[in-house]
């Protein structure tokens, strides 16, 4: 077992429930490396919702809250308000973040509260059996869209930019070094950080979503798609113009004569 | 020389390591891991360049690469 992995993982919970070749493990490793590099292990709490991707922090030997479907950001906001000196990291999926938790996502972005959100986008509801998710591309065949999806997919990065998140980036599981750097910068950024990771689901999505079944072939396809410009990767925004939510709340309270004890 | 170990209890046989290693050090074998699938074998660890991609890309943290200091020739 990898020594760094072993020092961060709850070894009694292994083997993990991820299918062979799942991208969640790669994201878990990137997050571990970023947390270890920053040295914030003692000051970090992880929150997750429901879905395969929300199992990522449950194997980490950190403070973890596994919450109800779509409400990970709501719980994380509450945790951050109660413990403002701690860093809070949220692991969420495309269904969790954009479908049922879309409202919480918009408001957390607009508030610009100091959270780091890692959104694992595998284009499909993997845990429940391969249904269409809001991020599924047009004309993709899934269990609930057997003749091809008719909806336009929701672009999480554009949504976060529009709503005013201060750090927005998108990478894939085929770019683990850049992903680690993005999580590092997201944790350092004071404000809402949104990192979208295009991941692979070889079991449910591999049937007819990516056109490939082998995990390595899907990763290769992601690299080629990035090269040809079919998917846009990189850091979309990093600005410190907008004030962080807790600072604004304290400013407001100070005008009412409240002092920090 | 690099010492590359693959944990039998972690490996799930996803075959990602064959594709990510630039030196193609991992080869297919008939050894079974605890998950019940075929796991890779290490061929010629001398060629390892310590890029660390296998450690980053293994979804189950099964691969450990350690650098062994080569003995210095006194002559």
């Amino acid at each position: 077992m990898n020594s760094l992995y072993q020092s961060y993982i709850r070894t009694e919970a292994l083997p993990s429930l991820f299918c062979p070749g799942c991208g969640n493990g790669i994201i878990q490793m990137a997050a571990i490396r970023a947390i270890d590099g920053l040295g914030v292990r003692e000051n970090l709490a992880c929150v997750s919702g429901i879905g395969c991707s929300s199992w990522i922090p449950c194997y980490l030997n950190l403070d973890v809250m596994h919450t109800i479907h779509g409400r990970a950001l709501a719980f994380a906001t509450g945790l951050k308000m109660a413990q403002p000196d701690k860093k809070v990291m949220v692991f969420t999926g495309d269904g969790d973040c954009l479908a049922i938790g879309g409202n919480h996502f918009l408001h957390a972005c607009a508030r610009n509260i100091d959270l780091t959100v890692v959104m694992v986008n595998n284009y499909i509801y993997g845990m429940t059996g391969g249904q269409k998710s809001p991020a599924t591309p047009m004309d993709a065949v899934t269990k609930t869209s057997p003749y091809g999806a008719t909806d336009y997919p929701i672009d999480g990065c554009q949504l976060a930019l529009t709503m005013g998140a201060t750090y927005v980036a998108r990478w894939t599981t085929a770019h683990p070094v850049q992903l680690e750097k993005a999580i590092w910068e997201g944790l350092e950024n004071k404000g809402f950080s949104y990192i979208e990771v295009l991941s692979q689901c070889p079991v449910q999505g591999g049937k007819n979503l990516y056109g490939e079944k082998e995990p390595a072939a899907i990763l290769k396809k992601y690299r080629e798609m990035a090269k040809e410009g079919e998917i846009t990767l990189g850091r979309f925004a990093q600005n410190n113009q907008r004030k962080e939510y807790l600072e604004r709340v304290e400013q407001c309270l100070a005008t009412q004569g409240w002092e920090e004890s | 020389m690099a010492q590359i170990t693959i944990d039998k209890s972690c490996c799930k046989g996803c075959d990602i390591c064959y594709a990510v290693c630039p030196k193609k050090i991992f080869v297919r074998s008939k050894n079974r891991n605890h998950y019940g699938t075929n796991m890779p074998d290490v061929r010629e660890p001398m060629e390892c360049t310590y890029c660390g991609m296998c450690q980053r890309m293994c979804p189950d943290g099964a691969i450990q690469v350690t650098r062994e200091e080569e003995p210095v020739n006194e002559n």
Side-chain angles (χ1 to χ4, degrees):
Chain A
M1 200 188 292
N2 191 288
S3 55
L4 182 66
Y5 183 78
Q6 193 170 19
S7 65
Y8 272 84
I9 223 84
R10 294 174 204 263
T11 41
E12 71 274 10
L14 293 180
S16 61
L17 56 66
F18 304 139
C19 309
C22 180
N24 290 343
I26 300 170
I27 297 158
Q28 196 176 42
M29 195 67 196
I32 287 173
R33 291 182 84 103
I35 293 165
D36 193 62
L38 272 171
V40 291
R41 185 177 183 167
E42 300 302 318
N43 288 322
L44 185 81
C46 292
V47 183
S48 67
I50 296 296
C52 290
S53 53
S54 300
W55 280 100
I56 294 173
C58 298
Y59 294 101
L60 299 180
N61 208 350
L62 304 167
D63 292 331
V64 175
M65 202 151 66
H66 197 181
T67 66
I68 52 178
H69 193 14
R71 273 63 178 158
L73 281 166
F75 278 86
T77 305
L79 185 60
K80 184 70 192 175
M81 295 290 282
Q83 301 266 331
D85 53 332
K86 303 277 190 244
K87 284 188 186 299
V88 180
M89 205 170 169
V90 181
F91 287 89
T92 177
D94 52 341
D96 198 41
C97 184
L98 298 178
I100 191 166
N103 181 25
H104 298 294
F105 176 55
L106 297 185
H107 286 275
C109 285
R111 278 186 191 124
N112 192 23
I113 186 162
D114 188 10
L115 302 175
T116 305
V117 180
V118 179
M119 199 274 260
V120 183
N121 183 0
N122 56 4
Y123 298 123
I124 203 164
Y125 287 125
M127 185 176 258
T128 50
Q131 288 86 358
K132 182 194 160 296
S133 88
T136 304
M138 195 110 160
D139 300 328
V141 175
T142 64
K143 285 273 172 63
T144 47
S145 60
Y147 309 113
T150 47
D151 299 343
Y152 286 103
I154 297 177
D155 189 333
C157 283
Q158 295 297 336
L159 196 58
L161 277 175
T162 313
M163 294 310 294
T166 48
Y167 182 90
V168 182
R170 183 196 279 135
W171 292 106
T172 76
T173 43
H175 303 83
V177 182
Q178 294 91 328
L179 174 60
E180 182 197 328
K181 192 167 172 254
I183 296 174
W184 182 303
E185 286 175 345
L187 282 169
E188 276 188 330
N189 177 39
K190 195 155 174 60
F192 193 86
S193 314
Y194 176 80
I195 299 141
E196 182 174 333
V197 193
L198 302 181
S199 176
Q200 77 272 21
C201 177
V203 175
Q204 298 293 351
K207 282 171 185 163
N208 37 28
L209 191 61
Y210 313 113
E212 301 281 356
K213 262 186 183 173
E214 286 295 313
I218 301 170
L219 290 175
K220 196 179 168 203
K221 199 174 176 194
Y222 270 142
R223 271 197 293 272
E224 281 168 6
M225 278 166 80
K227 211 179 272 179
E228 288 163 13
E230 286 175 50
I231 48 175
T232 321
L233 303 181
R235 191 175 68 191
F236 294 91
Q238 186 173 29
N239 66 50
N240 302 317
Q241 305 294 319
R242 289 166 70 96
K243 263 196 176 168
E244 207 263 326
Y245 181 58
L246 291 168
E247 282 176 14
R248 296 203 311 273
V249 168
E250 275 176 19
Q251 227 173 34
C252 179
L253 286 173
T255 60
Q256 303 297 314
W258 176 83
E259 282 176 10
E260 200 173 353
S261 55
Chain B
M1 193 176 115
Q3 195 186 0
I4 303 167
T5 55
I6 302 160
D7 195 328
K8 217 183 214 186
S9 58
C10 287
C11 178
K12 286 178 183 168
C14 66
D15 299 359
I16 288 180
C17 48
Y18 302 129
V20 297
C21 181
K23 294 286 177 188
K24 306 283 175 215
I25 281 173
F26 300 100
V27 289
R28 290 172 194 277
S29 76
K30 288 191 173 173
N31 302 337
R32 288 289 169 95
N33 51 34
H34 290 180
Y35 196 75
T37 46
N38 287 16
M39 62 183 284
D41 209 352
V42 178
R43 173 196 69 97
E44 295 193 27
M46 295 286 281
E47 287 186 17
C48 181
T49 57
Y50 310 104
C51 68
M53 277 310 271
C54 51
Q55 296 187 78
R56 285 172 189 271
M57 292 296 277
C58 179
D60 298 287
I63 302 172
Q64 168 74 28
V65 180
T66 41
R67 190 191 283 261
E68 275 182 10
E69 290 302 322
E70 288 179 19
V72 182
N73 199 340
E74 291 289 318
N75 300 327

